[in-house]
Amino acid sequence: MISYRAPGKLFIAGEYAVVEPGHRAILTAVDRYATATVVEASADEDTTLRTDLNGAGKLSCRRGGDRLIPSTADARVPTAFAYVFAAAAVIDRLLVERGIRARPYRLRLTGDFADSDGKKLGLGASAAVTAAAVAALGIFFRLGLSPMDRYRLAMVATLSVNPAASGGDVAASTWGGWIAYSSPDRQRISESIADKGVDAALRAPWPGLSVHRLPPPTRLAMKVGWTGEPASTPALVAGLRHGHRRQLPDHGAFLAKSEQCVRRLGTALESGDSFGIQGEIHYARSILMGLDEKAGVGIMTPRLHALCEAGEAVGAAAKPSGAGGGDCGIALIDRTRSAAITELTTRWVAAGIRPLSLRTHPHADDRG
């Protein structure tokens, strides 16, 4: 049996800007995981995919010509299996292109990205599932995939489900730790794959893409609160793009401000400048609030406002993490101020916000 786990993520800064090719965000991987296990099936069995995420259950797959297809009546992929199947399909296509015989297998995905009621916590479950499945299948078929190969294959799979995805969550799930990430030109990637295939895409330039490791803040504690309101990142991003066309002639100014903020935040992290880090978190929040006021997307919900205000009240720098509209927010505070950290937790609970106990999942080569 082969097993591989991929972490979830939190956005620190750069949300919404990072969906534009070449624009950066800072993210951290967190210790909530998708775990993929693969075992070989007998030659007369179908390939089967199982997942406990979204109550999906089991999906059998068969070969249709040179493709892996679901063994459903209409050969459609059930929504709950979209990312799992996309990961399996991109690996299958790579095998065909490399002339490697595909063997049937049983792939199982498990994860801890929801609360006890099954509500998702907004920690990048789909990306972690995709990254874990790609990595496990790469090992199973002895493909010798590098981290960049795994990221690219998981990104190709992700784009087949959500063409607008920035891939920041995929990168965090692949490399772990704190990273600065800029998104590639997804349209060019899709065109290149349609023209030359997946294997060629592993070697070709991806304009706009960059991944740079960053050190975590050493003197600041990052506290995470969950609003209890699951949000849809694709829907929020789509809403912004609609607003961009109609109402946001100064979208370029937002992108420039976000880029400056992320650059300064990266510098502050590298130099261990706690004051500078908190200042950029403040600024990142103000950028998002300005964007929300202009676009009316619904980034700042009442509970996210309460989460941030509670942070400000105790001297933390707080902001939503990710697309907003619910899900999580973060607060960075001097880790020696234990009384203030306790007060922050108390204020969050009183406001209906659930504190989450999360730690950074380290960079791949930093694990003990």
Side-chain angles (χ1 to χ4, degrees):
M1 181 178 73
I2 291 164
S3 182
Y4 191 95
R5 70 176 189 173
K9 65 85 180 88
L10 284 166
F11 270 92
I12 306 301
E15 302 94 334
Y16 287 101
V18 74
V19 300
E20 304 293 342
H23 288 273
R24 294 196 294 180
I26 291 176
L27 305 94
T28 182
V30 296
D31 61 344
R32 293 294 180 100
Y33 298 99
T35 301
T37 57
V38 190
V39 296
E40 187 158 4
S42 61
D44 58 349
E45 285 186 72
D46 287 339
T47 285
T48 57
L49 314 177
R50 291 180 181 270
T51 174
D52 67 356
L53 304 171
N54 303 316
K58 173 183 172 181
L59 177 66
S60 294
C61 303
R62 57 184 173 81
R63 302 215 55 79
D66 63 352
R67 294 188 303 131
L68 189 70
I69 60 174
S71 299
T72 53
D74 55 6
R76 291 186 181 179
V77 181
T79 301
F81 280 94
Y83 288 95
V84 180
F85 179 81
V90 76
I91 290 291
D92 189 76
R93 182 169 175 181
L94 182 62
L95 295 174
V96 170
E97 292 177 7
R98 291 185 176 180
I100 300 171
R101 184 180 66 86
R103 316 189 304 274
Y105 56 83
R106 296 189 292 273
L107 171 67
R108 182 177 181 85
L109 270 297
T110 59
D112 56 355
F113 290 95
D115 75 346
S116 57
D117 295 327
K119 294 180 181 178
K120 71 184 187 73
L121 299 175
L123 298 174
S126 297
V129 161
T130 311
V134 163
L137 290 172
I139 297 168
F140 177 74
F141 286 109
R142 299 179 181 177
L143 295 176
L145 302 176
S146 68
M148 181 58 79
D149 292 335
R150 298 199 310 270
Y151 159 80
R152 291 189 178 205
L153 290 167
M155 188 62 177
V156 171
T158 297
L159 294 177
S160 72
V161 180
N162 177 15
S166 73
D169 49 3
V170 176
S173 291
T174 300
W175 276 280
W178 286 58
I179 59 170
Y181 168 85
S182 66
S183 59
D185 185 330
R186 278 88 77 199
Q187 182 175 346
R188 286 187 61 176
I189 293 169
S190 297
E191 291 171 352
S192 174
I193 290 169
D195 182 39
K196 298 180 181 179
V198 171
D199 197 18
L202 297 183
R203 300 184 299 273
W206 280 27
L209 172 64
S210 70
V211 183
H212 174 65
R213 293 181 176 184
L214 293 169
T218 55
R219 295 194 294 272
L220 296 173
M222 185 177 74
K223 312 308 291 183
V224 183
W226 181 55
T227 65
E229 303 163 333
S232 169
T233 296
L236 287 158
V237 171
L240 172 64
R241 290 193 162 193
H242 179 68
H244 177 199
R245 290 195 298 269
R246 293 178 51 190
Q247 303 169 5
L248 299 177
D250 58 348
H251 191 61
F254 161 74
L255 294 176
K257 290 177 181 178
S258 181
E259 188 72 12
Q260 292 163 6
C261 174
V262 169
R263 286 182 182 276
R264 291 193 300 261
L265 178 56
T267 299
L269 285 163
E270 289 179 325
S271 62
D273 177 4
S274 297
F275 182 78
I277 293 168
Q278 289 183 304
E280 296 309 325
I281 296 298
H282 281 295
Y283 186 51
R285 177 189 172 196
S286 72
I287 293 170
L288 285 178
M289 292 179 68
L291 177 67
D292 204 17
E293 289 171 2
K294 290 183 172 65
V297 177
I299 298 170
M300 295 294 295
T301 65
R303 283 192 178 177
L304 282 174
H305 272 295
L307 183 151
C308 294
E309 288 169 2
E312 299 296 323
V314 301
K319 63 178 289 293
S321 173
D327 284 341
C328 294
I330 58 173
L332 275 78
I333 186 169
D334 185 334
R335 63 174 61 252
T336 65
R337 298 182 60 221
S338 56
I341 292 172
T342 299
E343 184 181 352
L344 174 64
T345 299
T346 300
R347 286 174 178 264
W348 277 358
V349 171
I353 295 157
R354 176 180 162 188
L356 298 179
S357 179
L358 298 173
R359 294 185 298 177
T360 297
H361 175 84
H363 292 131
D365 57 4
D366 293 339
R367 301 174 197 175

